Amino acid sequence: MDEKDLVALNAMVLGYVQHGLAEEGFILVEQMQKLDIKPDVVTWNTLISGFAQACDEVMVSKLFELMLMNGVEPDAFSWTSVISGLVQNVQIEKALDTFKQMLQHGLYPSSATISSLLSACATMANVRLGRKVHGYAVVIGVEEDIYVRSALVDMYAKCGFISEARVVFYKMPEKNTATWNSMIFAYANHGYCNEAIELFNQMEKAEENKLDHLSFTAVLTACSHAGRIALGHSLLLLMQEKYKIVPRLEHYACMVDLLGRAGKLSEAYGMIKTMPVKPDLFVWGALLGACRNHGDIYLAEIASRHLAELEPQNNGNNMLLSNVYADTQNWENVAKFKKLMKRKKLRRFSGCSWVEAA
DNA sequence: CTAGGGTTAG
């Protein structure tokens, strides 16, 4: 067997995995083994990463066994792939457990492992654990890694510690697009809209940073929270004309939110009707939320109907519509809804907070 | 040729 064959095989497996076709990648590897091409650690890890992202725990364990049977030891890439797959699929407990197992197997976590763990802490809004991971990153010498630092900015922000996010951000000698985006989102999501917009402007001036679709999602979020309608519209144009970024659903959702919050419900609905992509639940949800705040029953019913189609299992949408009726004193409809929900044996989702109780 | 950070509504 030729080394070039293996590199080509690995590239093909990676291609499958990147397109969400881990199964195809696995079949290819099996076929190659019959042709006496022995997969190496890279091949196995690529497959593990694919099945971990697809949440296929059975295949992941099978791959660990298979690689051992073929005389290849799982390494830090193998374990980190599993951890990151679990974090991406919001299986945080399992991710932390897998991290423990990784350490028990005597493997050393890398900066990639740490950034995945920080992302897990952000998802849970668990700043106590986040600080531990931060300290651990310092100890093993990966704290200066740009991924780790961007993950720290995001983790502190999502846990509600904006000033600590800011400290990490401004300490960073080098930042990239994701770093800036994390900080703009941090400001926008905590009501520091002017700071978010200002930071976006700085990012645009700093030539070395490329703005991407998420930079615009972040700044549009700030615009909508601050009621900056004119700025939102001009940014939506700037994005397309100067940066050649095609607006995505999330940009439209921000615009609908922006118009809706300001009470311009028919303009918001007009945007939904003219947008070139099919509106998703965020877009309709933004409209429904605005209808609640402004007591528009007519549009609320339209939005609810679309939401019911898009996510029939989510009873929160019905609750919102019911709240619109209640707010506008339409008690007959409130009663109608309560009956409907009782019939469907639905219960209101219990509330949850992103910020851990102190 | 393998793992990592940032996503919109109530």
Side-chain angles (χ1 to χ4, degrees):
Chain A
M1 178 193 68
D2 191 322
E3 208 172 279
K4 256 165 55 186
D5 293 341
L6 187 55
V7 172
L9 169 65
N10 288 344
M12 283 178 75
V13 176
L14 180 62
Y16 279 126
V17 163
Q18 284 174 343
H19 288 87
L21 301 167
E23 206 64 61
E24 304 291 318
F26 182 68
I27 292 168
L28 180 64
V29 170
E30 283 183 316
Q31 287 168 345
M32 289 298 148
Q33 282 179 296
K34 282 180 200 146
L35 298 173
D36 208 29
I37 296 179
K38 272 181 81 69
D40 66 357
V41 69
V42 175
T43 325
W44 294 113
N45 287 345
T46 305
L47 286 175
I48 288 171
S49 153
F51 284 100
Q53 278 169 38
C55 241
D56 190 335
E57 290 166 52
V58 176
M59 268 306 285
V60 167
S61 346
K62 187 173 160 187
L63 285 163
F64 269 74
E65 280 170 29
L66 276 174
M67 70 192 286
L68 278 168
M69 274 166 49
N70 284 275
V72 182
E73 283 285 330
D75 63 6
F77 278 82
S78 329
W79 288 94
T80 303
S81 299
V82 181
I83 293 167
S84 95
L86 289 166
V87 173
Q88 282 166 33
N89 289 288
V90 205
Q91 311 244 18
I92 308 297
E93 290 301 321
K94 281 184 188 168
L96 296 177
D97 189 59
T98 307
F99 176 61
K100 280 181 202 146
Q101 287 180 45
M102 175 182 185
L103 297 179
Q104 280 162 10
H105 280 79
L107 283 154
Y108 214 64
S110 66
S111 57
T113 324
I114 299 303
S115 32
S116 269
L117 291 177
L118 287 170
S119 168
C121 298
T123 301
M124 294 183 297
N126 185 338
V127 76
R128 281 188 58 199
L129 186 57
R131 285 190 207 284
K132 271 194 203 168
V133 177
H134 187 171
Y136 188 70
V138 174
V139 170
I140 67 172
V142 299
E143 198 238 3
E144 300 202 349
D145 182 271
I146 195 159
Y147 281 81
V148 169
R149 287 211 164 151
S150 301
L152 281 169
V153 170
D154 182 60
M155 185 276 291
Y156 282 121
K158 289 227 174 84
C159 293
F161 292 81
I162 279 287
S163 60
E164 298 195 49
R166 192 194 280 127
V167 168
V168 176
F169 178 80
Y170 284 106
K171 259 193 356 196
M172 290 176 70
E174 275 179 28
K175 305 173 178 73
N176 63 17
T177 302
T179 322
W180 285 87
N181 291 350
S182 295
M183 196 64 223
I184 299 172
F185 273 117
Y187 280 137
N189 288 327
H190 285 84
Y192 300 97
C193 301
N194 295 333
E195 285 84 351
I197 293 164
E198 173 56 29
L199 202 61
F200 175 86
N201 290 332
Q202 281 180 32
M203 182 183 183
E204 211 192 346
K205 274 186 224 137
E207 289 283 316
E208 70 273 18
N209 296 295
K210 287 245 186 307
L211 302 180
D212 69 1
H213 67 105
L214 288 175
S215 319
F216 281 94
T217 306
V219 73
L220 287 175
T221 302
C223 289
S224 85
H225 293 171
R228 302 281 299 270
I229 295 185
L231 182 60
H233 273 120
S234 64
L235 286 169
L236 191 69
L237 282 180
L238 180 82
M239 171 170 102
Q240 299 169 77
E241 286 169 5
K242 183 168 175 194
Y243 294 98
K244 310 294 175 206
I245 299 170
V246 178
R248 304 184 181 195
L249 283 163
E250 50 268 36
H251 302 114
Y252 289 109
C254 286
M255 292 305 293
V256 169
D257 187 50
L258 171 58
L259 295 165
R261 269 178 213 263
K264 296 180 179 301
L265 292 175
S266 51
E267 281 184 45
Y269 187 44
M271 175 146 272
I272 293 181
K273 283 192 292 195
T274 54
M275 57 189 274
V277 277
K278 187 176 183 283
D280 69 349
L281 70 159
F282 286 99
V283 175
W284 288 115
L287 184 69
L288 181 55
C291 288
R292 196 212 159 157
N293 290 328
H294 293 93
D296 188 319
I297 292 178
Y298 172 71
L299 284 178
E301 285 181 344
I302 294 177
S304 301
R305 249 196 322 273
H306 286 279
L307 282 168
E309 251 173 56
L310 289 165
E311 42 166 22
Q313 74 292 351
N314 185 349
N315 186 41
N317 297 322
N318 285 332
M319 279 307 302
L320 262 167
L321 180 58
S322 157
N323 285 336
V324 179
Y325 291 138
D327 292 348
T328 54
Q329 317 263 304
N330 195 329
W331 299 112
E332 201 178 303
N333 279 325
V334 173
K336 185 179 91 186
F337 252 82
K338 284 191 174 154
K339 250 187 231 164
L340 176 77
M341 297 204 305
K342 205 173 173 184
R343 197 167 62 233
K344 288 188 175 172
K345 288 186 191 154
L346 300 172
R347 273 183 306 150
R348 183 179 190 160
F349 282 152
S350 53
C352 81
S353 166
W354 286 107
V355 181
E356 189 189 31

